[in-house]
Amino acid sequence: MQNTVIELKELTRRYGDFTAVRSLNLSVHKGEIFGLLGPNGAGKSTTILMMLGLTEPSSGKALVAGLDPARNPLEVKRRVGYLPEDVGFYDNRTGLENLLYTGRLNGIPEKEAQARAHNLLKKVGLSDAAHKKTSTYSRGMRQRLGLADVLMKQPEIIILDEPTSGIDPQGLRFFLDLLRTLRKEEGLTILFSSHHLQQVEQVCDRVGLFVQGQLRACGSLQELSEQWLKRPNGALEEVYNCILAHQLETEKL
Amino acid sequence: MNTIKIPLPSSRPALGAGPFGAMIQKEMADHLRSWRFLLLLGLLVLTCLGSMYAALSSFSSLPPSELAKMEFFFLKLFSISDGSLPSYAIFIGFLGPLLGIALGFDAINSEHNNGTLSRLLSQPIYRDYVLHAKFLAALAISAILLFSLTIVVSGWGLLALGIPPGADEVLRILMFTLLTIAYISLWINLAILFSIVFRQTSASALGSLSVWLFFSVFFNMLIDVVAKHLAPKQFLSEAQAVAFQNFVLNLLRFNPIHLFNEATNIVLMPSVRSTGALTMEQISGTLPGALPVGQSLLMIGPQLTGLFASTIVLFALGYFLFMRREVRSR
């Protein structure tokens, strides 16, 4: 279990005077669901972009599946699936066609891509909508199609950026269950960012808490509770509030 | 069970195969399915019909004695008109930029606005594949369109005139078509550049259209004003007048539309032997006659170089901006 698949060392990203991510150290183990938690603008998305080599760190280093995404982005992208926040599809194509296109971009043979796409559509509950244009899809359906799209390349790691925002509660439960099954059945490592405490609490093995570009706390819920609340089985919300209060105090000093 | 493992290619695969081929295919299919393409196709077909009609009616209005003296009969199909409508060459020169802009103005920003760009870039493809695929697909579409139009015009001309073109004329028509495609690729690159710079598709469309309008209308007016100011007021020798004329022409050549028109004239009218002004001394003793294809080609060398260079500059600028950009979702 303790096999590290994502490792960030002193990762920093500055935009002019503004530091979006500051000296971030983080490791994610193989086969776990890791939650990046923090308010909007805390630097979660920027961190994710650096993990994929979609933006370069100002200093520090990221290692994803043993590779440096700034140096070898193609190999990283071959192994890592990424679902951006508010994912988009080619609206004049059907859901199936969108998946097949992703298959082609990944160099998957046509026949295998067909089989995989149908299989995945079934898994995310979109078999009926496979031949409908994605312009007719609802937000929740898009999100599920996005997950299927990410899985087309059979990744080792999937990174989801705010995958749950804007889905209704029922869709949400389905989505989170899906993540759990994926982890259990395929042994996937899943990293997902969110600002919803409860969702993170429900599915994540370990959590990293982001405030203003810095990682304030990192560990399993149990560990965090003991560390910050000095008692076991505290809710994540309490921990979070405690950390924010602590942050405010240090700022005053 | 023995399974054969095929090693992944370590170097960059050939451009036509694999993911890149799939991207070009998709881009071309997108163009072909769009309403925009159908509209452009309709416009071009109308152009073709209109200018053919004008050319043929101008042929029939000429007295037979004139017609008998005419050289490069077939080539005239592309450049002659009875005055009611512009000739094919002028029409295409006018619509070409529009075609290029229409095929490129939303290349990058529409992907971004639909949220597909970050998904696309998280696939294992090189980032420049996106730009290359957009450009090559648009280029392929315009090449197919122009070649078909040329063939339609030639075929119709053949039926109407009953005179087959000579080898020289076929070569010149081919050169004209290639020249037009190169010219359109300049405008495609301009439009793609604007689609990288501007987030809104309407902004990039307006931007490219205003550049086109500037060069087709205002640039020449501007040069006119400048030339009037610079023109020597006193009496001047013939050599000075010619030098000044050529100076103004060189200013005009900063306009890609002017470059294209010059090159078109030389290619389609074999009797044109200079684009600039000549002194009487230079003209004296020359026999009026047509230039061979090779000589005409030599003459448009500078114009072609200018067009290609500006195309490459535009592409490089877009490439630079796009490769350095951080792509966030929507």
Side-chain angles (χ1 to χ4, degrees), chain B residues 214-227:
Chain B
F214 172 75
F215 277 117
S216 56
V217 180
F218 299 110
F219 186 82
N220 290 10
M221 267 161 61
L222 221 64
I223 297 296
D224 216 39
V225 173
V226 171

Side-chain angles (χ1 to χ4, degrees), chain B residues 71-327:
Chain B
E71 277 186 288
F72 295 102
F73 211 72
F74 203 82
L75 216 52
K76 289 248 158 39
L77 265 181
F78 291 86
S79 59
I80 210 172
S81 148
D82 65 348
S84 62
L85 274 174
S87 71
Y88 178 79
I90 290 174
F91 245 136
I92 289 291
F94 183 73
L95 285 178
L98 200 63
L99 177 69
I101 289 170
L103 288 174
F105 78 92
D106 63 347
I108 301 297
N109 50 14
S110 74
E111 292 259 0
H112 193 271
N113 294 340
N114 287 332
T116 44
L117 190 58
S118 56
R119 194 169 63 90
L120 189 62
L121 289 181
S122 69
Q123 306 303 332
I125 51 163
Y126 295 95
R127 190 181 272 209
D128 50 358
Y129 276 11
V130 180
L131 271 188
H132 293 332
K134 294 274 179 197
F135 170 60
L136 287 178
L139 187 65
I141 293 282
S142 39
I144 292 169
L145 266 180
L146 277 168
F147 269 109
S148 339
L149 278 185
T150 309
I151 291 168
V152 168
V153 170
S154 308
W156 194 6
L158 203 60
L159 280 179
L161 297 175
I163 306 169
D168 206 35
E169 286 171 305
V170 172
L171 271 177
R172 280 174 186 275
I173 291 168
L174 194 68
M175 262 162 65
F176 168 65
T177 313
L178 290 175
L179 179 68
T180 317
I181 292 166
Y183 179 58
I184 290 175
S185 82
L186 170 85
W187 293 98
I188 294 174
N189 272 314
L190 178 82
I192 290 181
L193 174 65
F194 275 109
S195 85
I196 295 167
V197 174
F198 295 113
R199 276 289 158 78
Q200 255 74 40
T201 50
S202 50
S204 60
L206 270 177
S208 344
L209 284 176
S210 44
V211 170
W212 173 52
L213 269 180
F214 172 75
F215 277 117
S216 56
V217 180
F218 299 110
F219 186 82
N220 290 10
M221 267 161 61
L222 221 64
I223 297 296
D224 216 39
V225 173
V226 171
K228 271 186 189 141
H229 265 279
L230 292 180
K233 302 280 186 294
Q234 292 155 343
F235 177 77
L236 60 161
S237 72
E238 193 197 4
Q240 276 175 316
V242 167
F244 181 71
Q245 191 62 39
N246 282 335
F247 166 71
V248 174
L249 258 178
N250 278 335
L251 286 184
L252 280 175
R253 286 189 182 126
F254 281 100
N255 181 351
I257 297 177
H258 185 79
L259 284 184
F260 173 72
N261 288 342
E262 271 186 356
T264 313
N265 280 341
I266 295 165
V267 169
L268 287 183
M269 296 171 197
S271 53
V272 175
R273 39 179 59 208
S274 166
T275 47
L278 296 172
T279 58
M280 279 311 284
E281 199 183 349
Q282 284 169 308
I283 297 173
S284 73
T286 53
L287 297 169
L291 287 179
V293 182
Q295 293 299 314
S296 289
L297 194 60
L298 265 182
M299 261 180 69
I300 61 166
Q303 276 81 2
L304 274 184
T305 315
L307 284 177
F308 276 129
S310 30
T311 309
I312 289 168
V313 166
L314 287 174
F315 185 77
L317 209 57
Y319 191 89
F320 175 76
L321 289 174
F322 184 62
M323 296 302 274
R324 307 271 333 192
R325 170 178 292 176
E326 176 182 298
V327 175

Side-chain angles (χ1 to χ4, degrees), chain A residues 55-90:
Chain A
T55 184
E56 279 178 42
S58 306
S59 65
K61 203 177 174 184
L63 274 180
V64 177
L67 298 157
D68 182 354
R71 290 289 179 88
N72 201 349
L74 230 55
E75 197 50 44
V76 169
K77 288 182 206 163
R78 203 163 276 143
R79 300 186 189 186
V80 181
Y82 165 54
L83 180 65
E85 185 183 353
D86 194 9
V87 64
F89 293 94
Y90 296 110

Side-chain angles (χ1 to χ4, degrees), chain A residues 52-214:
Chain A
L52 286 153
L54 289 176
T55 184
E56 279 178 42
S58 306
S59 65
K61 203 177 174 184
L63 274 180
V64 177
L67 298 157
D68 182 354
R71 290 289 179 88
N72 201 349
L74 230 55
E75 197 50 44
V76 169
K77 288 182 206 163
R78 203 163 276 143
R79 300 186 189 186
V80 181
Y82 165 54
L83 180 65
E85 185 183 353
D86 194 9
V87 64
F89 293 94
Y90 296 110
D91 280 342
N92 53 351
R93 307 293 171 99
T94 67
L96 179 65
E97 282 170 343
N98 268 290
L99 291 191
L100 290 178
Y101 183 52
T102 302
R104 260 176 237 135
L105 291 181
N106 281 281
I108 303 165
E110 203 65 32
K111 241 183 191 168
E112 198 185 332
Q114 283 271 0
R116 261 190 223 178
H118 281 289
N119 193 8
L120 284 170
L121 283 169
K122 199 157 107 215
K123 205 178 244 171
V124 299
L126 286 175
S127 286
D128 295 337
H131 296 288
K132 280 191 193 136
K133 293 201 168 161
T134 50
S135 51
T136 64
Y137 280 29
S138 70
R139 178 73 205 246
M141 287 162 85
R142 279 169 174 274
Q143 220 57 27
R144 279 183 281 153
L145 185 65
L147 191 59
D149 184 64
V150 163
L151 295 170
M152 272 301 283
K153 59 173 116 168
Q154 299 192 323
E156 297 166 25
I157 305 164
I158 61 177
I159 297 178
L160 315 169
D161 197 358
E162 302 275 359
T164 52
S165 58
I167 319 183
D168 59 54
Q170 213 179 346
L172 182 68
R173 199 174 315 129
F174 183 82
F175 195 84
L176 294 180
D177 282 341
L178 209 57
L179 290 188
R180 273 196 219 105
T181 357
L182 279 172
R183 193 265 303 264
K184 209 192 288 171
E185 285 175 4
E186 327 243 334
L188 276 176
T189 309
I190 300 170
L191 182 129
F192 92 93
S193 81
S194 177
H195 52 259
H196 289 284
L197 296 165
Q198 285 172 340
Q199 296 162 16
V200 173
E201 196 170 16
Q202 274 175 40
V203 290
C204 292
D205 303 311
R206 290 201 311 139
V207 181
L209 279 156
F210 261 72
V211 182
Q212 290 173 359
Q214 279 178 297

